[in-house]
Amino acid sequence: MNSKPPLHSDSRLLHADDALHEGSSLTPPIPWSATFLADDASTFAQMASTPMHPRYYTRYGNPLHQRVARIVADLEGAATGLVTASGMGAISTTLFGLLRAGDHVVAQRNHYMGTTRLLSDLLERFSVSCELVDQTDNQAFARALERPTAVVMLESPTNPDCSLTDVRTAARLAHCAGALVVVDNTFATPLNQQPISLGADLVVHSATKYLGGHHDLTAGVVVGSEALIERLWSTQIVMGATLSPMDAWLLLRGLRTLSVRMERINASALTVASALAVHPAIESVSYPGLPGHPQHSLAREQMSGFGGVMGLRLRSDYAGTAAFVSKLTLAQHAVSLGGVDTLVVHAAAMWAGSLDDEQMRQTGIEPNLVRLSIGLEHPDDLIADLLNALDAGFGSSHSG
Ligand SMILES: *Cc1c(COP(=O)(O)O)cnc(C)c1O
């Protein structure tokens, strides 16, 4: 027998979906159609009753959804996956698919804002209760899990401080309590962290970020076992967060280059974070790849790279921080993260519409906090842009 060595993830990004290839064009044609023809009556009957059929009706599935799901599932070490119209589409499909009235969820105090709202606002209206714990405290998970729990929702690293969750420990505690574990792996990507290998049952992504990688689409993915994904699919077809075939094609194209983008982004972000950490106008840099990050050893344990997002705290106030952001010329002033362009946001301005002052304090969103998502510009150019804005002073800054 001649057994080939398993392919590296770089190659799997290009070939994990080979078995789904049809026709002779190297790149897949866009199945630009809401519906698909059946050859005869018995084929139609079979299409109509097959879960996740890729050629029945696009809300139920599509050949390009299937290819994207195959690649992400492969990289995450999952059996299969489901593609949605946005990251929130994947998260809402997952939670509504798993939960019923009376269920209890344990989640983190810090999550993507949409997830927090879904858990503590929308699901509560359907009599699903939720306890939010400090993600950095394993004991807090243990205490919360003394109560019967259906789902443990995790996310690591998180906004805005790049705080980490000990995924292996939280998943072990959750499984002892009989709960399913869902991990939002958006910030890490499947190249830097594989939550299923740490014990997760389901992994969700906002593919709008690194997986797509070019700021030109919104999409989501959830991967896990055949049984769980089929259950989520039956929710997804009534939730209706369907990714358009064109966006699925763009996402597939984005995925092909994920490993080269992440290699560069991991390296550039560490270079930029290290340069900024020693600047006198910077109070602190939160980046899991820096030895000074309070959870750096956990980061090294469960991640193989640290991604492109960091939190900067300036020695300044709200106005000075806003002025700093405005002075940047390479880093683009826009929400979102994980793409080819470096993006910067003033955290307090971004979250002012959704959090009151007390909630901002609790989530660590101080007036001097800036979130930076490193893209593919040369790191020296980014550092020059950032230092130029820092050295220009902050107007109303007060140091010390
Ligand atoms: C952006 C994001 C989401 C939501 O994804 P959309 O594609 O915007 O719906 C969820 N989780 C994390 C961690 C994100 O960064």
Side-chain angles (χ1 to χ4, degrees), residues 4-16 18 74-75:
K4 284 200 221 161
L7 294 178
H8 296 84
S9 50
D10 318 60
S11 310
R12 278 156 38 215
L13 282 164
L14 293 149
H15 294 290
D18 277 354
D74 181 84
L75 289 178

Side-chain angles (χ1 to χ4, degrees), residues 143-302:
R143 279 192 303 275
L145 284 161
E146 283 168 12
R147 175 169 172 189
T149 301
V151 169
V152 173
M153 179 78 207
L154 306 175
E155 181 180 330
S156 181
T158 51
N159 263 327
D161 253 344
C162 294
S163 295
L164 306 187
T165 308
D166 178 346
V167 176
R168 193 189 300 275
T169 301
R172 186 168 40 76
L173 292 167
H175 287 155
C176 286
L180 284 170
V181 177
V182 180
V183 177
D184 184 335
N185 201 31
T186 300
F187 272 42
T189 81
L191 296 176
N192 285 336
Q193 172 173 279
Q194 291 96 36
I196 287 180
S197 74
L198 302 169
D201 298 292
L202 289 160
V203 176
V204 293
H205 281 278
S206 169
T208 311
K209 315 293 167 50
Y210 291 105
L211 304 187
H214 293 74
H215 314 289
D216 52 8
L217 60 88
T218 68
V221 184
V222 51
V223 301
S225 68
E226 302 266 2
L228 281 175
I229 292 298
E230 200 175 307
R231 184 167 151 200
L232 298 187
W233 171 81
S234 64
T235 304
Q236 157 72 359
I237 59 174
V238 294
M239 299 281 278
T242 309
L243 187 65
S244 97
M246 179 68 203
D247 289 349
W249 193 91
L250 286 171
L251 174 53
L252 191 60
R253 185 167 73 168
L255 276 169
R256 303 301 188 193
T257 58
L258 181 65
S259 70
V260 284
R261 285 187 283 111
M262 289 319 296
E263 203 175 307
R264 178 64 178 267
I265 287 171
N266 286 337
S268 291
L270 188 58
T271 305
V272 172
S274 308
L276 292 176
V278 296
H279 194 282
I282 298 277
E283 186 181 290
S284 66
V285 177
S286 303
Y287 183 66
L290 289 180
H293 187 281
Q295 295 172 291
H296 181 61
S297 64
L298 174 62
R300 293 177 63 112
E301 227 175 274
Q302 67 183 17

